[in-house]
């Protein structure tokens, strides 16, 4: 029974993490750069709607990723090192800290109107999350492979 729970935890972790890897790359390469093309008269309303709509897409996998990341501390297969689980946790904390201390304040500022400096900072600082989530995706794939 524990093995089955561990397998589902690893697979849930992989699914949530890789989903976020795909989302963050789309956001970084397509979505955020296009914010500059919305146009000033509509930008504030657009950005508020963007924040609300995006939340429905990203919050569920982020919560699953966080829950399964924590669960792996207790349900870690012996073939996966404790160091890998800790690394994954540190990377996840990095993503959440970046989100709350950098990207969210930039969203809030942009929701009051387009600012090219803030927009540029949003795009640049989002490379932190893009890179770290990409590493987390490779780590999650490695964990599943090692547990087979």
């Amino acid at each position: 029974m524990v093995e089955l729970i561990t397998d589902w935890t690893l697979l849930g972790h992989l699914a949530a993490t890789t989903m976020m890897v795909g989302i963050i790359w789309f956001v970084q390469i397509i979505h955020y750069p296009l914010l500059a093309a919305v146009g000033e008269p509509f930008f504030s309303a657009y950005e508020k709607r963007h924040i609300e709509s995006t939340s429905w897409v990203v919050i569920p996998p982020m919560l699953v990723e966080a829950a399964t990341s924590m669960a792996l501390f207790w349900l870690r297969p012996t073939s996966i090192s404790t160091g890998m689980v800790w690394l994954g946790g540190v990377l996840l904390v990095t993503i959440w800290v970046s989100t709350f201390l950098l990207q969210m304040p930039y969203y809030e500022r942009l929701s009051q109107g387009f600012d090219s400096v803030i927009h540029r900072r949003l795009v640049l600082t989002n490379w932190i999350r893009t890179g770290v989530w990409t590493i987390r995706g490779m780590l999650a794939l490695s964990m599943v492979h090692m547990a087979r």
Side-chain angles (χ1 to χ4, degrees):
M1 182 65 161
V2 172
E3 189 174 304
L4 182 62
I5 293 170
T6 300
D7 289 348
W8 280 105
T9 301
L10 273 171
L11 291 176
H13 185 71
L14 176 65
T17 301
T18 55
M19 177 182 266
M20 288 309 304
V21 170
I23 289 170
I24 201 68
W25 273 99
F26 172 80
V27 164
Q28 184 64 27
I29 301 300
I30 310 266
H31 188 63
Y32 281 176
L34 282 176
L35 290 177
V38 172
E40 185 57 43
F42 309 106
F43 189 82
S44 184
Y46 175 86
E47 182 60 14
K48 288 175 186 170
R49 185 111 187 254
H50 157 252
I51 293 167
E52 292 168 8
S53 301
T54 302
S55 296
W56 288 102
V57 174
V58 299
I59 290 174
M62 285 180 75
L63 291 176
V64 169
E65 182 183 34
T68 55
S69 182
M70 288 186 280
L72 286 173
F73 282 98
W74 292 276
L75 298 171
R76 176 185 57 83
T78 56
S79 58
I80 297 172
S81 73
T82 306
M84 287 181 81
V85 176
W86 273 102
L87 175 59
V90 168
L91 294 172
L92 190 59
V93 167
T94 302
I95 290 165
W96 282 69
V97 167
S98 178
T99 299
F100 284 100
L101 295 183
L102 296 173
Q103 287 77 41
M104 286 182 74
Y106 292 148
Y107 300 149
E108 191 59 38
R109 297 261 313 267
L110 287 170
S111 70
Q112 297 166 16
F114 185 76
D115 179 321
S116 62
V117 172
I118 298 301
H119 174 254
R120 193 168 337 134
R121 288 179 186 164
L122 174 65
V123 173
L124 288 173
T125 62
N126 196 58
W127 279 111
I128 297 166
R129 296 189 306 173
T130 304
V132 174
W133 250 316
T134 300
I135 295 166
R136 276 193 51 74
M138 291 184 287
L139 186 64
L141 281 168
S142 297
M143 287 182 185
V144 169
H145 179 73
M146 293 171 89
R148 296 183 339 165

